[in-house]
Amino acid sequence: MKKSTIWMLSFVMAFAFMGLLYLQIKYVQIILNTRSERFNEEVKRSLYQVSKNLEMDEAQKLLEESLLSSNKNYLGYQDNQMLNTSKQVVTKQKHNLQILGPDGGQVGSMEIESQITQIVTPTASKEPKNSRDAIVKKSREMQNALNKRHEYAEKLLREVVVNMLSDADLKPIEERLDFKKVDDYLKAELINNGLSLPYQFAIVNSDGKEIYTTSEYKNYKPGLEEVYSQILFSNDPPSKMYSLRAYFPTQKDYLLSSVTFIVPSVAFTLVLLLTFVITIWIIFRQKRLSEMKNDFVNNMTHELKTPVSTISLAAQMLKDSALTKSPQMFSHISGVINDETKRLSFLVEKVLQMSLFEKQKTALNMKEMDANDLLANVAHTFMLKVEKYGGSLEVELEAMESAIYVDEMHFTNVLFNLMENAVKYRREEIPLKLIAKTANEGGKIQITIQDNGIGIKKENLKKIFERFYRVHTGNRHDVKGFGLGLAYVKKIVENHNGTIKAESELNVGTKFIITLPYIK
């Protein structure tokens, strides 16, 4: 699959996932906003109804007290003598009282029953002869008396309402309100509107001073955005106006409970998105490894063809009897075959190194060795190759504690690979200077291989220990390899319970530091 195709599919899938997440988040916001608006409306409706109930209770209480007082005053005003000689007639009347709001509209009504005592004085007039005329006359007298009582009752009600509006606000709020009844009204109205969550409330005056608060409200001071307020007794003067304030400690939990069902959906979407990202990363990694392996196979095929063809040509020359008679030519052909055979062995060893990476742990033949002696022997063997290119090799054996457990063959290959890289990536215009050093640091032994070669860019430095990775060398085509050397070095060092790191600067040089535990 082409890289562009993978990128296109990745973009489409990422866009689809982001769109799905956006829609889910938007849906959650819409649900929360709708639930919050509905909650606010239900709370405000409940508080308004509580204030109306409290006003109705106060009005009914004042009417009952005023009517009782007026009836007593009226009965006391009657002449005692007329009461003795007259007949009392008790009449019960019902009156419908309308309660108007500040805008003049009707906000409520109540029915008041009053009892009127009528005193009828016997008349000395002679009864009409005709009984029908007597009944009509009697009926007219009773109707006139009833009309007078109606006029008196209406006048009495008007006086009561005026007294109620003018005198009610003079009483302290503690006498006008029963706080237990306020709590009962508030609880009942919230339940009627479908809200059964816990609440706290307070009664405050026009200056914001709390007249009454529940214990929880007093301990917790909610912000203004969390408090719902409703004016009580809206007809009172502004300076004597009181408000009912309520807040709900579990309001956020109540609102969030409406969207808990979508949380698993969002979580699964995020898991799918994470899985998709990991899958794309694995695809690109496998594609890169596949390309590196293809390059390795191509390079290896090219490298194997050269020694095979050389050995084949040398074998054909040996068939010529004329050449075999010359000892010098025979020796030369034998040397070519020997060199190419070693080259083939080296290439086969590189292929075998690949198998090391497929194993979790390489089988090592560990034994105690002296790191100073090991490094000195490798440097002595490699000295001729360094001098061939006009360079120099310095050995600094400073480690006092140098006994280590290593596999001699593999660890020697590690040191040879690092020195071989120094020769490969030298600068042509400057003589090679190679330094091999041992030292004790932090309770361990450090083996350092440092050169003054072309160096490595910082962005490439962290990749040099990866399999098949090769740093781009520009127009230089004399540097051959398969990108396995440093990966092999790192694996062997780690199998020895050690670490390796590289420090490099472009056009200055590179330093490899191997750290191993030593035998105390």
Side-chain angles (χ1 to χ4, degrees):
M1 185 181 293
K2 294 182 179 180
K3 195 172 184 179
S4 58
T5 304
I6 298 176
W7 275 113
M8 184 181 66
L9 292 176
S10 302
F11 176 78
V12 172
M13 290 294 293
F15 180 78
F17 274 115
M18 293 302 176
L20 181 60
L21 282 175
Y22 173 79
L23 291 177
Q24 289 178 336
I25 294 173
K26 198 69 177 177
Y27 181 60
V28 170
Q29 290 178 344
I30 292 174
I31 292 178
L32 288 176
N33 291 336
T34 303
R35 188 70 177 267
S36 179
E37 292 175 359
R38 181 180 175 185
F39 181 83
N40 294 340
E41 182 180 351
E42 290 171 347
V43 171
K44 291 178 180 179
R45 187 187 304 120
S46 300
L47 294 178
Y48 177 79
Q49 189 59 45
V50 169
S51 69
K52 292 293 110 182
N53 292 341
L54 294 175
E55 290 181 359
M56 294 286 287
D57 287 349
E58 184 183 48
Q60 184 174 357
K61 179 180 178 182
L62 291 174
L63 282 173
E64 291 175 354
E65 293 176 354
S66 299
L67 287 175
L68 180 60
S69 175
S70 299
N71 276 333
K72 289 181 179 180
N73 293 336
Y74 177 77
L75 292 176
Y77 178 76
Q78 300 296 325
D79 184 58
N80 292 330
Q81 182 178 2
M82 185 170 288
L83 288 175
N84 295 330
T85 59
S86 302
K87 182 180 181 182
Q88 294 184 358
V89 178
V90 179
T91 305
K92 292 184 179 180
Q93 297 180 357
K94 292 184 178 181
H95 308 277
N96 188 20
L97 177 63
Q98 295 181 352
I99 300 176
L100 302 180
D103 56 354
Q106 181 177 345
V107 297
S109 62
M110 64 172 60
E111 190 176 78
I112 302 298
E113 183 179 282
S114 60
Q115 179 175 301
I116 301 174
T117 303
Q118 183 178 4
I119 301 175
V120 180
T121 304
T123 57
S125 57
K126 185 185 290 185
E127 294 183 0
K129 296 179 180 180
N130 192 339
S131 61
R132 180 179 179 182
D133 293 340
I135 293 173
V136 171
K137 183 177 180 181
K138 192 67 174 178
S139 175
R140 287 178 180 175
E141 290 178 354
M142 293 179 64
Q143 185 65 36
N144 291 334
L146 186 60
N147 289 338
K148 290 180 180 181
R149 300 309 299 164
H150 282 173
E151 292 177 0
Y152 171 76
E154 290 178 0
K155 180 180 179 182
L156 181 62
L157 287 175
R158 284 195 295 270
E159 292 178 356
V160 169
V161 171
V162 171
N163 293 333
M164 181 186 68
L165 295 177
S166 60
D167 299 336
D169 59 317
L170 298 178
K171 297 180 180 179
I173 192 66
E174 290 80 0
E175 296 182 8
R176 302 176 68 184
L177 289 180
D178 183 352
F179 299 122
K180 180 63 172 61
K181 184 175 289 188
V182 174
D183 190 12
D184 294 340
Y185 278 151
L186 185 56
K187 183 184 297 184
E189 293 299 330
L190 289 174
I191 293 176
N192 289 339
N193 285 284
L195 301 177
S196 58
L197 64 166
Y199 63 89
Q200 305 298 331
F201 73 94
I203 307 296
V204 299
N205 59 15
S206 58
D207 297 330
K209 182 180 178 181
E210 297 174 355
I211 306 302
Y212 173 83
T213 60
T214 55
S215 57
E216 291 82 358
Y217 191 97
K218 185 181 298 184
N219 295 333
Y220 172 72
K221 297 298 182 182
L224 294 177
E225 68 278 0
E226 302 178 72
V227 176
Y228 297 87
S229 181
Q230 172 63 44
I231 295 176
L232 301 177
F233 309 116
S234 55
N235 291 321
D236 290 354
S239 60
K240 297 184 178 181
M241 196 167 287
Y242 295 89
S243 298
L244 171 62
R245 293 183 180 179
Y247 93 99
F248 302 84
T250 60
Q251 178 180 348
K252 291 183 180 179
D253 296 336
Y254 174 78
L255 297 177
L256 291 175
S257 63
S258 61
V259 294
T260 52
F261 71 94
I262 207 169
V263 173
S265 175
V266 176
F268 286 132
T269 303
L270 292 176
V271 171
L272 289 176
L273 180 59
L274 181 61
T275 306
F276 166 72
V277 172
I278 295 175
T279 303
I280 293 299
W281 178 79
I282 293 175
I283 290 174
F284 276 108
R285 185 172 180 271
Q286 291 300 115
K287 180 175 176 59
R288 183 166 60 85
L289 289 176
S290 177
E291 292 173 351
M292 289 179 176
K293 284 186 177 181
N294 291 336
D295 292 340
F296 170 78
V297 172
N298 293 334
N299 290 336
M300 182 60 71
T301 303
H302 177 73
E303 293 292 332
L304 288 173
K305 284 176 63 178
T306 301
V308 169
S309 60
T310 303
I311 293 173
S312 177
L313 180 60
Q316 291 178 4
M317 293 176 67
L318 288 175
K319 291 180 181 181
D320 190 349
S321 58
L323 293 177
T324 56
K325 294 179 180 179
S326 173
Q328 292 181 348
M329 183 61 68
F330 185 81
S331 176
H332 175 70
I333 293 175
S334 299
V336 169
I337 293 175
N338 184 56
D339 292 340
E340 294 302 321
T341 302
K342 290 182 179 179
R343 186 176 178 183
L344 275 175
S345 299
F346 175 76
L347 293 174
V348 171
E349 184 182 353
K350 289 292 184 181
V351 174
L352 291 176
Q353 284 180 5
M354 287 189 61
S355 64
L356 296 175
F357 301 107
E358 307 300 328
K359 300 178 182 179
Q360 295 296 326
K361 190 75 174 178
T362 306
L364 300 175
N365 183 20
M366 307 289 285
K367 62 181 179 180
E368 182 178 346
M369 296 194 68
D370 188 282
N372 290 334
D373 293 343
L374 188 61
L375 182 61
N377 292 335
V378 173
H380 178 72
T381 305
F382 206 77
M383 180 72 73
L384 293 176
K385 192 169 186 177
V386 174
E387 292 177 349
K388 177 182 177 181
Y389 294 100
S392 63
L393 175 58
E394 297 179 7
V395 180
E396 301 176 6
L397 306 177
E398 300 177 357
M400 301 302 295
E401 299 286 346
S402 57
I404 56 176
Y405 275 120
V406 292
D407 183 298
E408 182 179 4
M409 183 192 71
H410 282 292
F411 200 76
T412 300
N413 287 338
V414 166
L415 298 178
F416 266 112
N417 278 345
L418 295 178
M419 293 184 182
E420 184 72 26
N421 282 343
V423 174
K424 281 183 180 181
Y425 299 102
R426 69 188 184 280
R427 287 183 286 176
E428 298 292 343
E429 68 278 6
I430 298 177
L432 174 63
K433 183 178 181 181
L434 186 60
I435 300 175
K437 179 181 177 181
T438 63
N440 292 121
E441 186 72 27
K444 294 186 178 181
I445 186 170
Q446 286 186 349
I447 302 175
T448 304
I449 307 296
Q450 183 176 357
D451 64 63
N452 61 342
I454 61 176
I456 306 172
K457 294 181 180 179
K458 289 184 178 180
E459 58 267 23
N460 297 327
L461 194 61
K462 59 184 179 181
K463 301 179 182 179
I464 60 175
F465 293 108
E466 296 180 6
R467 280 187 294 169
F468 308 113
Y469 181 80
R470 296 191 66 203
V471 179
H472 182 65
T473 55
N475 294 325
R476 292 187 59 178
H477 303 286
D478 59 332
V479 179
K480 298 183 182 298
F482 310 105
L484 291 174
L486 290 179
Y488 167 77
V489 167
K490 183 178 181 182
K491 182 172 180 62
I492 295 300
V493 170
E494 289 178 347
N495 288 345
H496 282 78
N497 298 320
T499 60
I500 182 171
K501 65 178 181 178
E503 299 175 358
S504 183
E505 186 176 349
L506 195 62
N507 296 323
V508 174
T510 304
K511 179 166 63 174
F512 290 93
I513 303 173
I514 300 173
T515 304
L516 294 172
Y518 60 78
I519 303 173
K520 297 182 181 180

